[in-house]
Amino acid sequence: MKPPNHPMDRSGGRACGPAAVVAAVVTAVTAVAVGLAMPAQAASTLKASAEAKGRYFGTALTRGDLGISAEVNLAAAQFDMVTPGNEMKWDATESSRGSFNFGSGDQIVSFAQSHGMRVRGHTLVWHNQLPSWVSSLPLNQVQSAMENHITNEATHYKGKVYSWDVVNEPYNEDGTLRQDVFYKAMGADYIANALRAAHAADPNAKLYINDYNIEGTNAKSNALYSLAQSLVSRGVPLHGIGFESHFIVGQVPSSLQANMQRFANLGLDVAITELDDRIPMPADSSELQQQGTDYGKVVSACMAVSRCVGVSQWGVDDGHTWIPGTFPGYGAPMMWDSGYQPKPAYTAALNALDSGPGTSPSPTPPVSPSPSVSPSPTPPVSPSPWVSPSPTPPVTGSCSATLTTVNSWPGGFQSEVTVRAGGSAVDGWTVKWTWPGGQTFSSLWNGTQSVSGSSVTVRNAAYNGSIAAGASTTFGFTANGTAATPTLTCTSP
Ligand code: G2I
């Protein structure tokens, strides 16, 4: 018997039909009431509020979703990270041995790129949605098949994904590793082997282990913690832990923040990767309020952990979610109802972002070209007032570039650079600086880097070179060393 919170578990419940119709009406009526009560909520978006705190807010989209204009318009307006729902899984990308098809995944990537969103790659090694040719291989061929799959897929998406869920859902509920074909062939080492293969193929992608029911402190998260500790101490390229967060209304674990923090303390990023919060249907208004409380708790927990890089919801609206198909009798798990109206959960998530601890932007770049090293303070763990970002400098040439340090930790930092066009549009831009203290990039997105000693040149990516007059785009990076605010120059051909 699977535990009740298993993503693929089927909890008992009534068939949909009339109950679902009533639920939809209740949901819509509640959402309208909420919308009227809080007109100010449209003042920001999840992505703007998250970015102001050095985080992202993401969603999962499938190729089918891309054809639903109301859904994608909402996604593009609210989110700045996309996880493909199914399109990068093994059954989609290598359904027969050695024959790769990245067409569907590419469509999600192009959608993301054309809307200034980043991509969480999902997923390279998973026991589910795994073609039968893999699970029926002789065990002595599994490692090479796994590494070949990872190498091909991660190479195809090199430079296009922010992160990879390299290994997905490796654990049983009791903290033992699943006895899938990868474990049978390689033992627990399959995880390190997979991470190494992914790192060799795309050294700039953040590499994650992602799982569910690890959000609170329990046997499963304890086992993953020990594994993470061991991988980090052995120098295996593990960079983050994904907490899926498929919750049932009213059941967000109280240990969520402390549990994420202990992984962060190992020097890992953490992320909420697949958030939803299902309600027994029909959902009444107190359940929708409780769902808001739940979303607020989850987002606040992420904000309180400085290495929590972002939150992703597993979908956009209640009309397009995996929940009713897998948990009959449950539904309404998203921040928008099936009529695309915001629910209390949306307002709660936005409020949690806005009232969360701020990251510390670096001071305005000096006007004179005197490089300075000013480490940004570690973001506070307890709530504190958010410091406004540095003012936008006047654009004197064709473009200007401003660097803001959004996060820092011992030995590393994350910055965002805003590139702004002057009085006329630019078509292609180049930002240059000199690192003052031996800093080195560990990953860079929304731009292409070339580095020579301490001299750095970042050019636009294929999709963000054109900036309208007065408008801006951003690129970001993580780097090793002490956070620095060198003088940036921006030129446009
Ligand atoms: O189960 C929820 C999520 C749990 N964590 C890992 C995620 O990758 C997983 O996503 C879901 C997708 O949202 C579903 O869309 O994974 C399911 C399968 O494991 C996906 O469902 C499958 C259906 O079961 C198949 O019948 C269908 O052919 O989607 C397939 C493609 O549409």
Side-chain angles (χ1 to χ4, degrees):
M1 182 68 183
K2 288 172 189 165
N5 212 22
H6 190 294
M8 295 308 295
D9 204 23
R10 292 181 171 266
S11 300
R14 268 168 300 163
C16 322
V21 174
V22 172
V25 171
V26 170
T27 305
V29 168
T30 309
V32 168
V34 168
L36 290 174
M38 285 169 240
Q41 69 188 355
S44 187
T45 58
L46 295 173
K47 66 178 179 184
S49 290
E51 285 168 14
K53 302 296 172 73
R55 273 41 174 230
Y56 63 78
F57 215 113
T59 183
L61 291 176
T62 62
R63 198 170 51 142
D65 293 325
L66 297 186
I68 304 168
S69 56
E71 186 183 357
V72 294
N73 290 344
L74 183 54
Q78 291 287 340
F79 298 110
D80 55 5
M81 183 72 81
V82 177
T83 307
N86 289 307
E87 291 69 10
M88 292 186 182
K89 293 172 180 175
W90 200 317
D91 63 353
T93 53
E94 193 189 5
S95 58
S96 58
R97 191 172 188 176
S99 169
F100 290 90
N101 181 349
F102 298 115
S104 298
D106 289 353
Q107 287 183 33
I108 306 281
V109 171
S110 334
F111 171 82
Q113 290 180 339
S114 62
H115 293 85
M117 304 158 107
R118 287 184 283 159
V119 175
R120 297 193 79 257
H122 175 86
T123 172
L124 295 170
V125 179
W126 188 25
H127 71 278
N128 202 356
Q129 288 175 288
L130 183 68
S132 56
W133 70 261
V134 184
S135 31
S136 45
L137 280 176
L139 290 183
N140 65 2
Q141 294 182 28
V142 172
Q143 181 169 357
S144 65
M146 180 189 84
E147 291 176 354
N148 187 53
H149 177 77
I150 293 171
T151 302
N152 274 277
E153 182 156 9
T155 301
H156 178 81
Y157 288 112
K158 183 178 178 181
K160 296 180 178 164
V161 295
Y162 160 73
S163 62
W164 269 113
D165 290 333
V166 177
V167 177
N168 201 43
E169 304 178 355
Y171 278 100
N172 294 309
E173 296 306 298
D174 65 0
T176 57
L177 284 167
R178 284 177 196 275
Q179 307 277 302
D180 59 18
V181 69
F182 306 109
Y183 183 86
K184 283 183 186 145
M186 291 167 266
D189 282 348
Y190 87 86
I191 296 177
N193 293 342
L195 289 162
R196 289 193 182 105
H199 188 60
D202 186 352
N204 289 329
K206 296 284 185 189
L207 305 184
Y208 278 67
I209 298 174
N210 186 54
D211 214 329
Y212 63 88
N213 286 355
I214 56 160
E215 296 80 14
T217 307
N218 56 35
K220 194 173 181 180
S221 65
N222 288 345
L224 175 58
Y225 179 78
S226 301
L227 174 72
Q229 203 169 28
S230 149
L231 292 169
V232 168
S233 71
R234 286 151 55 205
V236 177
L238 172 69
H239 308 125
I241 301 293
F243 298 80
E244 290 188 12
S245 304
H246 295 292
F247 294 127
I248 298 171
V249 70
Q251 296 184 27
V252 174
S254 55
S255 52
L256 175 62
Q257 180 185 323
N259 187 44
M260 287 199 292
Q261 186 64 56
R262 71 173 168 157
F263 284 93
N265 291 346
L266 296 176
L268 296 169
D269 287 346
V270 294
I272 302 288
T273 51
E274 304 183 10
L275 178 60
D276 49 32
D277 195 34
R278 60 186 181 269
I279 299 178
M281 299 302 280
D284 65 27
S285 68
S286 73
E287 286 165 321
L288 293 169
Q289 291 301 332
Q290 177 62 48
Q291 183 179 60
T293 305
D294 291 356
Y295 267 81
K297 270 188 197 164
V298 174
V299 174
S300 296
C302 177
M303 299 303 288
V305 176
S306 63
R307 295 207 62 162
C308 183
V309 293
V311 176
S312 298
Q313 180 176 258
W314 199 246
V316 179
D317 65 286
D318 287 341
H320 305 95
T321 156
W322 68 294
I323 290 294
T326 301
F327 301 101
Y330 282 82
M334 305 271 103
M335 286 180 281
W336 286 270
D337 69 18
S338 52
Y340 305 104
Q341 295 305 307
K343 295 161 60 184
Y346 171 72
T347 313
L350 204 51
N351 287 342
L353 292 169
D354 290 341
S355 59
T359 53
S360 308
S362 40
T364 309
V367 178
S368 61
S370 55
S372 64
V373 186
S374 37
S376 45
T378 306
V381 170
S382 58
S384 73
W386 159 241
V387 185
S388 307
S390 25
T392 307
V395 183
T396 47
S398 55
C399 57
S400 73
T402 318
L403 181 149
T404 302
T405 301
V406 294
N407 204 352
S408 69
W409 52 90
F413 60 102
Q414 179 183 345
S415 300
E416 183 172 90
V417 176
T418 300
V419 181
R420 186 172 296 279
S424 16
V426 303
D427 190 13
W429 46 262
T430 303
V431 175
K432 294 189 179 194
W433 69 88
T434 304
W435 286 125
Q439 291 83 355
T440 53
F441 285 133
S442 48
S443 96
L444 185 135
W445 53 92
N446 293 343
T448 56
Q449 51 164 300
S450 56
V451 175
S452 168
S454 60
S455 300
V456 172
T457 302
V458 178
R459 295 194 169 82
N460 57 277
Y463 51 87
N464 64 359
S466 300
I467 313 176
S472 65
T473 189
T474 62
F475 67 87
F477 61 83
T478 52
N480 304 307
T482 306
T485 54
T487 304
L488 272 47
T489 61
C490 184
T491 52
S492 175

